[in-house]
Amino acid sequence: MKKIYLKKGRDESVRRFHPWVFSGAVAQTVGNPAEGDVVAVYSAEGEYLASGHWQIGSISVRILSFDGDPLSPTFWEDTLSAALAARKAMGLTDSAKTNCYRLVHGEGDGLPGLIIDYYDGVCVLQAHSVGMFRAKNQICEALQKIYGESLKAVYDKSSGTAPFKAGLELVDGYLWQAPGFEAKEQAVLENGHQFLVNWTEGQKTGFFLDQRENRALVERYARGRNVLNLFCYTGGFSVYALGGGAVHVDSVDSSAKAMAMVDRNVALNGFTPEQHGSYCADAIEFLAGVDEAKYDLIIVDPPAFAKHRGALRNALRAYQRLNARAIEKVAPGGFVFTFSCSQVVDKEDFALAVFSAAASTGRRVRILDRLNQPADHAVNIYHPEGEYLKGLLLYVE
Ligand code: SAH
């Protein structure tokens, strides 16, 4: 196996199971590793520490194992079975009400650079590293073994995420399909609600599985309310709100494709067009035009405003402005469910932005709940950076 040696004293974070080796910690490489190769990591004193994918850039190795061999024939089957066992323990694999979940959440599952979402037998894989991209066929074979007959297809959707240099065209496509399986979308069940998921044309892997628990909370608070769902994508929160007895729900997203899916999802769950309004629009402009007190439950789930540290200040200002508008507009005694999925915006930053927003409106606001990503979007305790989704449930007097 190709090897790297760390600089003296730079082995501490690896010994504490942090899954990355930064380029500044590397003293020497042996065997001239190419990007995506599995390398063994040694301390300056020559002690074996871990093995992982070699990368070009500020992170040199993304660790796959601290005690095993990522090149062993059973590595993928073993690690994916462990991920599946964890989902089973979470009650996600044999639920009559939910048949979709995240099977692999990168570092959270000890597999940096890999995302696999499971949609009732269809696995959608996204490689965020060259090493994971190169391993995709082995991963696909392991998925066939761990799921057996219940697997319908494995779809690779890495073209937008695998960091290959420009010039190399990546094409998304099926790595495997069960005989006769031709669907490009299918309906999945989440907490008893049905959602069409189109993994080929949808955003990310097709559906935002990370809002499952927060949607259930919206359902609990929706009875008798007029609901506004901003940045609704395919209408996850909208369907739950209707299911929870909302009087009326308006859904807003700037993507026409997403809005077409919202209408289909609303109908699929048996709700009528009278109960629901669809608006393909900029959510911020839409909110600016909303009459005060028209809605008594507003959901604000924008895309990541900051994709890197450098964008943090502007992002916080954007969260503040958006939340100020939502708090200002919600009816007295109403709720605002507000989220940020920017990894670089931490809980405290976000709470501060929402606090400033509230203060600027002069309204009385209580925090009823602090919201998170669900268990299947696991956070590795040695890699707290894996925490990205945060939210607040506000009650506005
Ligand atoms: N709440 C959704 C996920 C939201 S993802 C769910 O539960 O599934 C963010 C969404 O914001 C995407 O659907 C994207 O199309 C939309 N979006 C991005 N910028 C927007 C804007 N300025 N106005 C409205 N929608 C926007």
Side-chain angles (χ1 to χ4, degrees):
M1 202 191 286
K2 298 172 181 179
K3 294 180 181 177
I4 68 150
Y5 285 89
L6 299 180
K7 291 178 182 161
K8 209 169 167 52
R10 296 298 293 270
D11 50 348
E12 227 171 79
S13 76
V14 181
R15 290 188 194 278
R16 270 189 275 114
F17 303 119
H18 194 280
W20 301 341
V21 173
F22 288 99
S23 57
V26 177
Q28 192 198 345
T29 62
V30 178
N32 196 21
E35 184 154 37
D37 282 352
V38 171
V39 295
V41 180
Y42 288 83
S43 71
E45 293 75 26
E47 186 187 346
Y48 172 78
L49 300 172
S51 301
H53 284 140
W54 177 251
Q55 283 197 175
I56 312 293
S58 65
I59 301 173
S60 287
V61 185
R62 295 176 95 166
I63 292 170
L64 299 167
S65 178
F66 293 92
D67 49 15
D69 174 9
L71 293 176
S72 95
T74 60
F75 175 79
W76 291 105
E77 201 183 328
D78 293 345
T79 50
L80 295 180
S81 315
L84 184 58
R87 275 50 190 184
K88 189 162 197 266
M90 294 166 201
L92 287 168
T93 58
D94 48 11
S95 154
K97 290 186 161 182
T98 299
N99 59 18
C100 52
Y101 52 83
R102 178 155 287 191
L103 173 69
V104 175
H105 185 60
E107 282 80 357
D109 284 290
L111 293 170
L114 182 64
I115 296 293
I116 302 177
D117 283 342
Y118 176 90
Y119 296 113
D120 189 21
V122 177
C123 286
V124 184
L125 173 158
Q126 278 192 321
H128 288 252
S129 69
V130 174
M132 284 300 181
F133 186 78
R134 282 174 46 190
K136 65 184 180 175
N137 289 314
Q138 290 155 273
I139 294 168
C140 176
E141 277 170 31
L143 288 170
Q144 291 173 61
K145 288 200 181 120
I146 66 166
Y147 281 118
E149 300 257 291
S150 61
L151 192 67
K152 298 173 183 166
V154 180
Y155 187 77
D156 167 31
K157 203 175 181 193
S158 303
S159 65
T161 59
F164 282 99
K165 306 288 166 288
L168 195 95
E169 274 287 309
L170 294 185
V171 182
D172 293 332
Y174 288 95
L175 300 174
W176 181 81
Q177 280 164 284
F181 182 85
E182 277 167 14
K184 287 206 173 56
E185 64 174 36
Q186 66 176 5
V188 295
L189 264 184
E190 193 191 75
N191 288 320
H193 302 293
Q194 295 185 71
F195 293 101
L196 288 160
V197 177
N198 184 323
W199 49 88
T200 60
E201 290 182 19
Q203 297 181 28
K204 304 281 174 101
T205 65
F207 194 57
F208 289 88
L209 292 166
D210 56 2
Q211 289 289 24
R212 181 178 56 244
E213 315 260 325
N214 300 323
R215 289 177 187 138
L217 200 62
V218 163
E219 182 167 24
R220 262 177 49 196
Y221 281 96
R223 181 156 302 280
R225 302 207 168 250
N226 267 309
V227 175
L228 174 60
N229 182 8
L230 297 171
F231 307 93
C232 66
Y233 187 47
T234 56
F237 284 109
S238 308
V239 166
Y240 277 70
L242 289 166
V247 176
H248 189 92
V249 179
D250 283 333
S251 302
V252 184
D253 199 283
S254 56
S255 155
K257 260 192 207 166
M259 289 315 305
M261 285 289 246
V262 179
D263 290 335
R264 294 175 67 202
N265 282 331
V266 167
L268 186 63
N269 289 279
F271 303 112
T272 63
E274 290 70 49
Q275 292 172 279
H276 181 261
S278 284
Y279 298 89
C280 184
D282 179 278
I284 297 159
E285 283 173 21
F286 185 94
L287 184 58
V290 159
D291 289 339
E292 267 174 36
K294 174 168 185 199
Y295 299 103
D296 40 26
L297 194 162
I298 301 180
I299 298 137
V300 186
D301 185 24
F305 283 163
K307 297 225 158 64
H308 51 85
R309 287 233 139 254
L312 185 59
R313 267 162 77 84
N314 284 340
L316 290 175
R317 237 173 275 140
Y319 284 118
Q320 184 188 329
R321 274 198 301 271
L322 176 59
N323 281 288
R325 271 275 147 78
I327 294 167
E328 184 183 287
K329 296 282 171 130
V330 76
F335 301 107
V336 176
F337 285 76
T338 181
F339 299 95
S340 163
C341 61
S342 304
Q343 190 271 330
V344 295
V345 174
D346 65 24
K347 270 185 213 143
E348 289 73 28
D349 288 339
F350 183 62
L352 200 60
V354 177
F355 156 78
S356 309
S360 73
T361 66
R363 297 186 70 176
R364 297 297 127 106
V365 180
R366 288 176 177 76
I367 297 176
L368 301 194
D369 226 327
R370 292 169 192 276
L371 314 173
N372 292 299
Q373 64 210 61
D376 52 337
H377 292 60
V379 180
N380 178 345
I381 200 162
Y382 306 110
H383 181 259
E385 302 95 311
E387 214 168 338
Y388 71 100
L389 180 64
K390 68 225 61 100
L392 293 169
L393 164 52
L394 308 176
Y395 175 78
V396 184
E397 267 182 36

